Amino acid sequence: MADIVRTRFAPSPTGYLHVGGARTALFCWLYARKHGGQFILRIEDTDEARNTEAARQAIFDGMNWLGLDWDEGPDVGGPCGPYYQSQRNAVYDRYFEKLVAADRVYESEGAWRFRFERKPVTMHDLVCGEVTIDYRDESNTPDMVVKRSDGSYVFHFVNVVDDLEMRITHVIRGEDHLMNTPKHLQLIEALGGVAPAYAHIPLIQNPNGSKMSKRDQGAAVGDYPRQGFVAPALVNFLALLGWSPKTEEEIFSLDELTQRFSLEAVNRSPARFDAEKCAWVNQQHLLRMSAEDFAAAARPYVEKESLDPGPQFVAVAAAVQEKVRLLTEVPEAVRFLLEDAFPMDEAALEKVKAGGNGAAVMGALHEALAQVGEWTAESAKAAIATAAGALGVKAGQMMFPLRVSLSGKAGGPDLGVILTLLGRDRSLQRIEQLRQRLS
Ligand code: GLU
């Protein structure tokens, strides 16, 4: 039986969770899930000076928000624990003794160096193809320190030991580690281990082609919720950064991504981060939500702006579901449906004034709408047609001034929906208000 697939995400908790890291985690997670394998979270926190508790928490929060659950790791434990490198010194000492016994390390200036085998080492990367480093050229590939003079171990050593100890079958990580891998292969061979398969995924660039760094716009996963993104959208967007679905379709749920994902379809060239595209993907996910789910997602954003969502919020939110790209846009989009004091767009008002007959239009609308029996979108629209007839204009010409009177805006939800949600009294009040303003 083939080994069960085991992948790991191995972040160093030195900053917040970066989109590049989240994408690595996602690809590892997708690969494990697709193959019925296991996904392990390992915290590479050996650099005491740079690790922070906040950074650790940001990793957990980000992973949880994205829905990337781990089978082994912090909190859940597992047979290969502990999953914090800072707690694994005994394991590293044991492996270091193997190198000593095999005469592969020697002391130099207080530190311990690993003796490379002087030969070419070729790796077969699942994304990048063949990469060879020729260790016969000693000046370019000096023996590397594995244990510092203070007794601490270097990244390459602990990283390799843990991949062996945790029986990782597929190392999927950023391309910045590609050139480290031959070193890792040398260590694995010296330790008598079996190397995992490697897949190095292309870096993420800013729109201008520079490398995306921690300080760049859109870099921190933790910023996305408060900017109005939903997690499935960011997951979808991250998947498209470096992976090609090989179809026209671009919008996928986590389940769909799991079915489709393959390392063969990971692109070789760097991925460009495009904030506009990310917002578009978010919009597509918002559109696909049920009205109930959309309202539940939008509610906290509305409450944060001190708006009362009120009893008919599912319908209110549904009215703008097609109009927003980010959940942060919902409060301003629904304000006129929730409160009578709403801002009036001056340009829209000017346009109504320029029509010349605004006050008459409002008067006719008020009269016709006041007589509607049962208030529905249809009966209200019929009344608008009546008003237009009485005034001798086309019904279409009434719509814009009416919309402005009801919403203060030039665009927005369907007028029938607005009329229904506002009800007769509030609609009439707003029409009368604008009539007075125009008279
Ligand atoms: N801690 C390393 C990093 O964050 C892990 C590299 C790897 O995945 O092997 O870059």
Side-chain angles (χ1 to χ4, degrees), residues 8-13 24 42-45 85 155 159 163 171-174 176-177 180 184 198 200:
R8 87 307 191 263
F9 176 46
S12 306
T24 300
R42 176 173 85 222
I43 305 298
E44 301 212 324
D45 57 348
Q85 286 189 326
F155 158 72
N159 184 265
D163 284 342
V171 168
I172 303 168
R173 61 187 173 190
D176 44 334
H177 290 292
N180 290 331
H184 297 181
Y198 290 94
H200 287 88

Short mmCIF file of all heavy atoms in Angstrom, two decimals, residues 8-13 24 42-45 85 155 159 163 171-174 176-177 180 184 198 200, ligand 1:
data_model
loop_
_atom_site.label_atom_id
_atom_site.label_comp_id
_atom_site.label_asym_id
_atom_site.label_seq_id
_atom_site.Cartn_x
_atom_site.Cartn_y
_atom_site.Cartn_z
N ARG A 8 2.52 19.32 5.27
CA ARG A 8 2.58 20.18 6.45
C ARG A 8 2.72 21.62 6.05
O ARG A 8 3.28 21.96 5.00
CB ARG A 8 3.69 19.71 7.39
CG ARG A 8 5.09 20.25 7.16
CD ARG A 8 5.62 20.08 5.78
NE ARG A 8 7.04 20.37 5.65
CZ ARG A 8 7.56 21.54 5.24
NH1 ARG A 8 6.79 22.55 4.91
NH2 ARG A 8 8.86 21.70 5.13
N PHE A 9 2.18 22.47 6.90
CA PHE A 9 2.45 23.91 6.78
C PHE A 9 3.34 24.23 7.97
O PHE A 9 3.02 23.85 9.11
CB PHE A 9 1.13 24.69 6.82
CG PHE A 9 1.28 26.18 6.81
CD1 PHE A 9 2.16 26.80 5.92
CD2 PHE A 9 0.54 26.98 7.68
CE1 PHE A 9 2.29 28.18 5.90
CE2 PHE A 9 0.67 28.36 7.66
CZ PHE A 9 1.54 28.96 6.78
N ALA A 10 4.46 24.90 7.69
CA ALA A 10 5.47 25.08 8.74
C ALA A 10 5.84 26.55 8.91
O ALA A 10 6.97 26.94 8.63
CB ALA A 10 6.70 24.24 8.39
N PRO A 11 4.90 27.37 9.33
CA PRO A 11 5.21 28.81 9.42
C PRO A 11 6.10 29.15 10.60
O PRO A 11 6.11 28.45 11.61
CB PRO A 11 3.82 29.43 9.64
CG PRO A 11 3.05 28.36 10.37
CD PRO A 11 3.54 27.06 9.79
N SER A 12 6.85 30.21 10.43
CA SER A 12 7.61 30.79 11.53
C SER A 12 6.80 31.97 12.06
O SER A 12 6.48 32.87 11.30
CB SER A 12 8.97 31.29 11.04
OG SER A 12 9.65 30.25 10.38
N PRO A 13 6.48 31.96 13.33
CA PRO A 13 5.58 33.01 13.87
C PRO A 13 6.32 34.30 14.14
O PRO A 13 6.49 34.70 15.27
CB PRO A 13 5.03 32.38 15.15
CG PRO A 13 6.09 31.42 15.58
CD PRO A 13 6.82 30.96 14.35
N THR A 24 0.34 28.86 0.68
CA THR A 24 1.08 27.62 0.89
C THR A 24 0.25 26.65 1.74
O THR A 24 0.12 25.47 1.41
CB THR A 24 2.42 27.91 1.61
OG1 THR A 24 3.18 28.79 0.79
CG2 THR A 24 3.20 26.64 1.87
N ARG A 42 2.89 22.71 11.81
CA ARG A 42 4.09 22.68 12.64
C ARG A 42 4.60 24.12 12.80
O ARG A 42 4.80 24.81 11.80
CB ARG A 42 5.15 21.83 11.96
CG ARG A 42 6.48 21.81 12.70
CD ARG A 42 7.43 20.83 12.08
NE ARG A 42 8.18 21.33 10.95
CZ ARG A 42 8.42 20.66 9.82
NH1 ARG A 42 7.91 19.46 9.63
NH2 ARG A 42 9.14 21.20 8.86
N ILE A 43 4.78 24.53 14.00
CA ILE A 43 5.21 25.91 14.24
C ILE A 43 6.74 25.95 14.36
O ILE A 43 7.31 25.36 15.27
CB ILE A 43 4.56 26.49 15.53
CG1 ILE A 43 3.02 26.35 15.46
CG2 ILE A 43 4.96 27.93 15.74
CD1 ILE A 43 2.36 27.12 14.33
N GLU A 44 7.38 26.64 13.43
CA GLU A 44 8.84 26.69 13.40
C GLU A 44 9.31 27.92 14.19
O GLU A 44 9.67 28.94 13.63
CB GLU A 44 9.34 26.69 11.94
CG GLU A 44 8.87 25.43 11.22
CD GLU A 44 9.82 24.91 10.14
OE1 GLU A 44 10.46 25.73 9.46
OE2 GLU A 44 9.91 23.67 9.99
N ASP A 45 9.28 27.73 15.50
CA ASP A 45 9.53 28.87 16.40
C ASP A 45 10.86 28.74 17.12
O ASP A 45 10.94 28.91 18.33
CB ASP A 45 8.38 28.97 17.42
CG ASP A 45 8.21 27.68 18.21
OD1 ASP A 45 8.81 26.66 17.83
OD2 ASP A 45 7.48 27.69 19.22
N GLN A 85 8.55 23.61 17.30
CA GLN A 85 9.97 23.25 17.23
C GLN A 85 10.72 23.63 18.51
O GLN A 85 11.67 22.96 18.89
CB GLN A 85 10.64 23.90 16.01
CG GLN A 85 10.23 23.22 14.71
CD GLN A 85 11.05 23.69 13.53
OE1 GLN A 85 11.45 24.84 13.45
NE2 GLN A 85 11.27 22.78 12.58
N PHE A 155 17.90 26.37 10.88
CA PHE A 155 16.65 26.07 10.18
C PHE A 155 16.73 24.80 9.33
O PHE A 155 15.87 23.92 9.42
CB PHE A 155 16.25 27.27 9.31
CG PHE A 155 15.32 26.92 8.17
CD1 PHE A 155 14.00 26.59 8.41
CD2 PHE A 155 15.79 26.87 6.86
CE1 PHE A 155 13.15 26.24 7.37
CE2 PHE A 155 14.95 26.53 5.82
CZ PHE A 155 13.63 26.21 6.07
N ASN A 159 14.28 21.63 10.17
CA ASN A 159 13.24 21.50 9.14
C ASN A 159 13.27 20.08 8.56
O ASN A 159 12.24 19.42 8.42
CB ASN A 159 13.49 22.57 8.09
CG ASN A 159 12.45 22.62 6.99
OD1 ASN A 159 12.64 22.03 5.94
ND2 ASN A 159 11.34 23.32 7.22
N ASP A 163 10.57 16.97 9.08
CA ASP A 163 9.88 16.36 7.93
C ASP A 163 10.06 14.84 7.96
O ASP A 163 9.13 14.09 7.63
CB ASP A 163 10.39 16.95 6.61
CG ASP A 163 9.82 18.35 6.36
OD1 ASP A 163 8.80 18.70 7.01
OD2 ASP A 163 10.39 19.09 5.54
N VAL A 171 6.42 17.90 0.52
CA VAL A 171 6.74 19.24 1.03
C VAL A 171 6.32 20.24 -0.04
O VAL A 171 6.89 20.28 -1.14
CB VAL A 171 8.25 19.37 1.33
CG1 VAL A 171 8.62 20.83 1.57
CG2 VAL A 171 8.61 18.52 2.55
N ILE A 172 5.29 20.99 0.28
CA ILE A 172 4.81 22.03 -0.64
C ILE A 172 5.10 23.35 0.04
O ILE A 172 4.65 23.58 1.16
CB ILE A 172 3.29 21.86 -0.90
CG1 ILE A 172 3.01 20.46 -1.47
CG2 ILE A 172 2.78 22.96 -1.84
CD1 ILE A 172 1.53 20.09 -1.48
N ARG A 173 5.90 24.19 -0.58
CA ARG A 173 6.30 25.44 0.07
C ARG A 173 6.70 26.47 -0.98
O ARG A 173 6.74 26.18 -2.18
CB ARG A 173 7.45 25.21 1.05
CG ARG A 173 8.70 24.66 0.40
CD ARG A 173 9.74 24.28 1.46
NE ARG A 173 10.88 23.60 0.88
CZ ARG A 173 11.83 23.01 1.60
NH1 ARG A 173 11.77 23.02 2.91
NH2 ARG A 173 12.83 22.42 1.00
N GLY A 174 6.99 27.67 -0.50
CA GLY A 174 7.30 28.77 -1.41
C GLY A 174 8.62 28.56 -2.14
O GLY A 174 9.54 27.90 -1.65
N ASP A 176 10.98 30.40 -2.50
CA ASP A 176 12.18 30.92 -1.83
C ASP A 176 12.99 29.79 -1.19
O ASP A 176 14.15 30.00 -0.85
CB ASP A 176 11.82 32.01 -0.81
CG ASP A 176 10.63 31.67 0.06
OD1 ASP A 176 9.77 30.87 -0.39
OD2 ASP A 176 10.54 32.18 1.18
N HIS A 177 12.39 28.62 -1.04
CA HIS A 177 13.12 27.50 -0.44
C HIS A 177 13.67 26.51 -1.47
O HIS A 177 14.27 25.51 -1.11
CB HIS A 177 12.24 26.76 0.56
CG HIS A 177 11.97 27.55 1.81
ND1 HIS A 177 12.95 27.84 2.73
CD2 HIS A 177 10.84 28.14 2.26
CE1 HIS A 177 12.44 28.56 3.71
NE2 HIS A 177 11.16 28.78 3.45
N ASN A 180 17.29 25.74 -1.26
CA ASN A 180 17.69 25.08 -0.01
C ASN A 180 17.55 23.57 -0.11
O ASN A 180 18.16 22.83 0.66
CB ASN A 180 16.76 25.51 1.15
CG ASN A 180 16.97 26.96 1.55
OD1 ASN A 180 18.08 27.47 1.40
ND2 ASN A 180 15.94 27.60 2.04
N HIS A 184 18.94 20.07 1.84
CA HIS A 184 18.07 19.21 2.65
C HIS A 184 18.21 17.75 2.21
O HIS A 184 18.21 16.85 3.04
CB HIS A 184 16.61 19.68 2.54
CG HIS A 184 16.42 21.07 3.09
ND1 HIS A 184 15.19 21.70 3.13
CD2 HIS A 184 17.31 21.94 3.63
CE1 HIS A 184 15.34 22.89 3.67
NE2 HIS A 184 16.60 23.07 3.98
N TYR A 198 8.94 17.07 -3.42
CA TYR A 198 8.94 18.53 -3.22
C TYR A 198 8.16 19.23 -4.31
O TYR A 198 8.23 18.84 -5.49
CB TYR A 198 10.38 19.07 -3.22
CG TYR A 198 11.17 18.66 -1.99
CD1 TYR A 198 11.97 17.53 -2.01
CD2 TYR A 198 11.09 19.41 -0.82
CE1 TYR A 198 12.70 17.15 -0.89
CE2 TYR A 198 11.80 19.04 0.31
CZ TYR A 198 12.60 17.90 0.27
OH TYR A 198 13.30 17.53 1.40
N HIS A 200 7.66 23.32 -5.14
CA HIS A 200 7.88 24.72 -4.76
C HIS A 200 6.98 25.62 -5.60
O HIS A 200 7.02 25.56 -6.83
CB HIS A 200 9.35 25.08 -4.93
CG HIS A 200 10.21 24.45 -3.86
ND1 HIS A 200 10.75 23.19 -3.99
CD2 HIS A 200 10.56 24.90 -2.63
CE1 HIS A 200 11.43 22.91 -2.87
NE2 HIS A 200 11.33 23.92 -2.04
N1 GLU B 1 9.56 28.02 8.52
C1 GLU B 1 9.84 28.01 7.13
C2 GLU B 1 9.23 29.24 6.49
O1 GLU B 1 8.30 29.78 7.05
C3 GLU B 1 9.30 26.74 6.54
C4 GLU B 1 9.78 26.38 5.18
C5 GLU B 1 9.21 25.07 4.73
O2 GLU B 1 7.99 25.00 4.50
O3 GLU B 1 9.95 24.10 4.68
O4 GLU B 1 9.68 29.70 5.47
#
